[in-house]
Amino acid sequence: MIKRVVVIIPTYNESGNVAPVSHALGKIFATLKSQYDPLILFVDDQSPDGTSKIIKNLIKKYSYVKLLENKRKGGLGHAYKKGMIYALDKLKADIVFEFDADLSHDPSKIPLMLSAIESGSQLVLGSRYMTGGGIPNNWPWYRKFLSVIGNIFIRVLMGNFKIRDWTTGYRAITRDVVEKIVPELSHHAFQGYTWQIGFLVKTLQSGYTVTEVPFYFRDREQGASKLGPEYIINTMRYIMKVRLSQLLHSRLLKFVIVGGSGAAIQFIALHFYRRALPSFQLAFFLAIETAVLSNFIWNNAWTFKDRKLKPTQIPGKFFQFNLASGGSILIQQTIAFLGEKFIGLYTLFTFQLSTFNFSLDTGAMFAVTGILVGMFWNFFAYSHIVWKKK
Ligand SMILES: Nc1nc2c(ncn2[C@@H]2O[C@H](COP(=O)(O)OP(=O)(O)OP(=O)(O)O)[C@@H](O)[C@H]2O)c(=O)[nH]1
Ligand SMILES: [Mg+2]
C-alpha cells in the first residue's frame, strides 16, 4: 500500500524560503514515488511579507504543494496543531513530518527517517547531538552554548539520557501518535520549544518507540529568526511544570505521604493505647500494628492502586507486608546500634564547622540515615514483593 506522507511547514515571513524549500523537497519526493505519496502542507499565519501569495503561485506549479491559512499568528505549536489535524482529516496522512521553511533541515534525511518508521519507530527525531549530526560552525558562541547546554540541561532535568535532541523541529510522526498526542497538548504548549518538548514527553510517557537519525543543521540564509529570550524562559518553565506534575503523580511521593501519615497514626495511637492498656509493651506493639494496617490499606488503595490486590490475596499479602515493615524496623535498629557503638549516639557528639557556626549532630545523622535506608527497603519490598508487577 502506498502511504501518504505530509511534510508540514509552518511559515511566518518566509517569502524568500518557500520556493527553494518546495523545490528541494520535490527532488526528494521524486525518489520516494514507488512507496509513498508525499505532499507539502504550508501553514501560514497571515505573514505580512506576502508568503501566502507566493505559496499560491507555487501550488499552480507543483501539484504536491498545499496551503492552510490561519486567521492570526498563534505560535509554532498552534500552527502545527492545525496543520496536523488538517493533514490527517483532509489529506489522509499516514505519516507527517515537522519541517522548517528555512532549509535548516536536511531534506535528504527524509528517506532514512521513513525507513526508521518502517522498522517500527513511531516518532523519529532528526538529531543534531549525535555522531553524524551537528550545528552550524558559524553560529555565535552564545547560540552554540545555549543549544548544547540547553539540551544537556533538559536531559538532566528529565532524567532521560537516551534522547539526545529534545528541541529539534525535524521529526517524522506516525498517524497513531498524532491522534493520541495532539489532543493532549493545550494552548500552554504553543510557544517556542514547549510544543516540541511537550510532544516528545507525552509520546515517551505513552510508551511509543522514539528513535533518532542524525543530521547537520544548516543556518538560515533568508528571513529572520523567531528565536528570542522568552523561548528559553518558557522552555524552562514548561519543563519544571512537567517534572512537578510527574512528581505529584509519582508512586514515590504517595508512598512517602502514606508512610508519614503512618508515623503520625502510630504516635497518636500510642498515646491512647497507653491510657487504655495496662502494659506499655502491648500498647507499643498495638500502635505499630495500627500504623501498619493503615499503611497497608492506603498503599493498596492509592500508592499501588494499579496493582490492587484481590480479596483472596489480602491475608497472605498483609502478612508479607508485616514482615517487610519488620525488616525496615530491624534495619533502623541496626543502624542506630552501630551508630551508638562506634560514635556514641547519646553523647550527642557534635562537630563544629566554625566558619559557618554550624553544628551537625551525628546522632541525628544516624537517625536520618536509618530512616532513609528503612524507607528505601520498604519501597523496594512493597513494589517488588507485596505489590509486585504481574
Ligand atoms: N505559522 C507560523 N509559523 C511560525 C511561527 N513561528 C515560527 N514559525 C515557523 O516555524 C519555523 C521555525 O522557526 P525559526 O524562526 O526558523 O526558528 P528556529 O529554527 O528555532 O531559529 P532560526 O533557524 O535561527 O530562525 C519557521 O519555518 C518559521 O517560519 C508562527 O507563529 N506561526
Ligand atoms: Mg529555523
Side-chain angles (χ1 to χ4, degrees):
M1 202 191 74
I2 292 197
K3 286 183 182 152
R4 169 54 60 81
V5 173
V6 178
V7 178
I8 304 173
I9 306 182
T11 53
Y12 195 75
N13 290 344
E14 301 285 4
S15 59
N17 286 319
V18 286
V21 80
S22 301
H23 183 71
L25 284 169
K27 276 206 258 175
I28 299 296
F29 286 179
T31 69
L32 297 172
K33 276 280 158 28
S34 58
Q35 259 185 297
Y36 300 97
D37 181 5
L39 295 173
I40 297 175
L41 174 64
F42 286 107
V43 185
D44 188 66
D45 287 6
Q46 306 292 330
S47 299
D49 73 345
T51 299
S52 67
K53 231 176 105 191
I54 300 172
I55 296 170
K56 282 170 193 159
N57 282 324
L58 290 168
I59 291 175
K60 289 180 199 147
K61 200 165 137 201
Y62 303 119
S63 59
Y64 57 83
V65 175
K66 307 280 170 197
L67 169 65
L68 174 68
E69 288 182 277
N70 285 326
K71 289 197 183 60
R72 55 176 185 88
K73 179 162 162 44
L76 185 68
H78 178 257
Y80 269 129
K81 183 167 188 161
K82 287 283 173 98
M84 284 179 185
I85 292 168
Y86 188 89
L88 261 53
D89 293 352
K90 298 284 190 316
L91 305 175
K92 308 288 173 223
D94 299 301
I95 298 162
V96 301
F97 273 81
E98 291 188 358
F99 202 85
D100 280 5
D102 53 15
L103 278 170
S104 290
H105 298 155
D106 177 2
S108 74
K109 295 290 177 176
I110 288 179
L112 261 176
M113 292 168 81
L114 286 171
S115 55
I117 287 189
E118 300 302 338
S119 327
S121 296
Q122 286 146 312
L123 170 61
V124 183
L125 305 171
S127 182
R128 296 160 293 179
Y129 307 111
M130 63 193 286
T131 327
I135 52 175
N137 265 327
N138 63 329
W139 266 7
W141 68 269
Y142 57 85
R143 186 138 187 217
K144 283 183 186 162
F145 179 84
L146 266 182
S147 190
V148 174
I149 299 300
N151 260 282
I152 293 174
F153 198 66
I154 295 169
R155 281 157 81 173
V156 171
L157 277 177
M158 296 307 300
N160 179 326
F161 294 90
K162 282 186 215 116
I163 303 293
R164 279 156 290 192
D165 195 341
W166 287 80
T167 50
T168 180
Y170 190 10
R171 300 171 173 201
I173 314 164
T174 54
R175 187 183 180 98
D176 283 356
V177 173
V178 175
E179 282 175 343
K180 171 84 176 37
I181 304 301
V182 168
E184 292 183 16
L185 288 168
S186 67
H187 62 277
H188 297 297
F190 285 168
Q191 295 305 326
Y193 294 123
T194 51
W195 166 266
Q196 304 297 11
I197 298 169
F199 199 108
L200 181 52
V201 167
K202 290 201 186 288
T203 304
L204 290 166
Q205 277 173 349
S206 305
Y208 290 110
T209 310
V210 180
T211 54
E212 287 175 281
V213 165
F215 84 104
Y216 270 98
F217 188 93
R218 256 184 52 193
D219 216 358
R220 64 157 68 237
E221 285 163 15
Q222 306 268 340
S225 173
K226 281 103 211 160
L227 196 104
E230 76 282 359
Y231 268 45
I232 297 153
I233 295 161
N234 280 341
T235 303
M236 287 305 144
R237 205 171 34 211
Y238 187 77
I239 293 174
M240 298 298 182
K241 218 185 78 186
V242 168
R243 290 304 273 171
L244 199 69
S245 98
Q246 281 178 345
L247 177 70
L248 287 177
H249 292 98
S250 72
R251 213 190 279 293
L252 191 63
L253 184 76
K254 291 175 183 171
F255 163 83
V256 170
I257 292 172
V258 170
S261 75
I265 287 171
Q266 183 178 335
F267 187 77
I268 297 163
L270 182 63
H271 177 78
F272 286 108
Y273 293 158
R274 269 178 77 178
R275 287 189 181 174
L277 295 168
S279 143
F280 178 77
Q281 250 85 29
L282 183 65
F284 193 73
F285 172 77
L286 278 181
I288 291 180
E289 209 43 45
T290 308
V292 167
L293 181 65
S294 154
N295 284 3
F296 181 75
I297 291 169
W298 283 108
N299 278 322
N300 191 44
W302 190 43
T303 318
F304 293 95
K305 73 162 179 273
D306 53 323
R307 303 180 192 173
K308 202 171 272 173
L309 303 170
K310 290 191 206 81
T312 50
Q313 287 179 295
I314 288 191
K317 288 291 184 182
F318 183 60
F319 183 66
Q320 262 184 6
F321 187 82
N322 269 279
L323 288 183
S325 308
S328 134
I329 292 171
L330 201 71
I331 289 170
Q332 290 175 30
Q333 298 282 320
T334 310
I335 290 176
F337 171 77
L338 292 176
E340 194 189 340
K341 191 163 156 74
F342 293 114
I343 293 174
L345 200 57
Y346 300 112
T347 56
L348 285 184
F349 170 84
T350 58
F351 86 95
Q352 296 276 336
L353 287 169
S354 49
T355 22
F356 301 106
N357 195 20
F358 174 77
S359 71
L360 251 175
D361 183 332
T362 22
M365 257 167 60
F366 268 94
V368 170
T369 314
I371 289 169
L372 285 178
V373 177
M375 277 173 71
F376 184 83
W377 156 255
N378 267 344
F379 191 69
F380 176 83
Y382 297 172
S383 49
H384 288 88
I385 302 169
V386 184
W387 284 278
K388 86 163 168 270
K389 234 198 231 144
K390 273 152 213 145

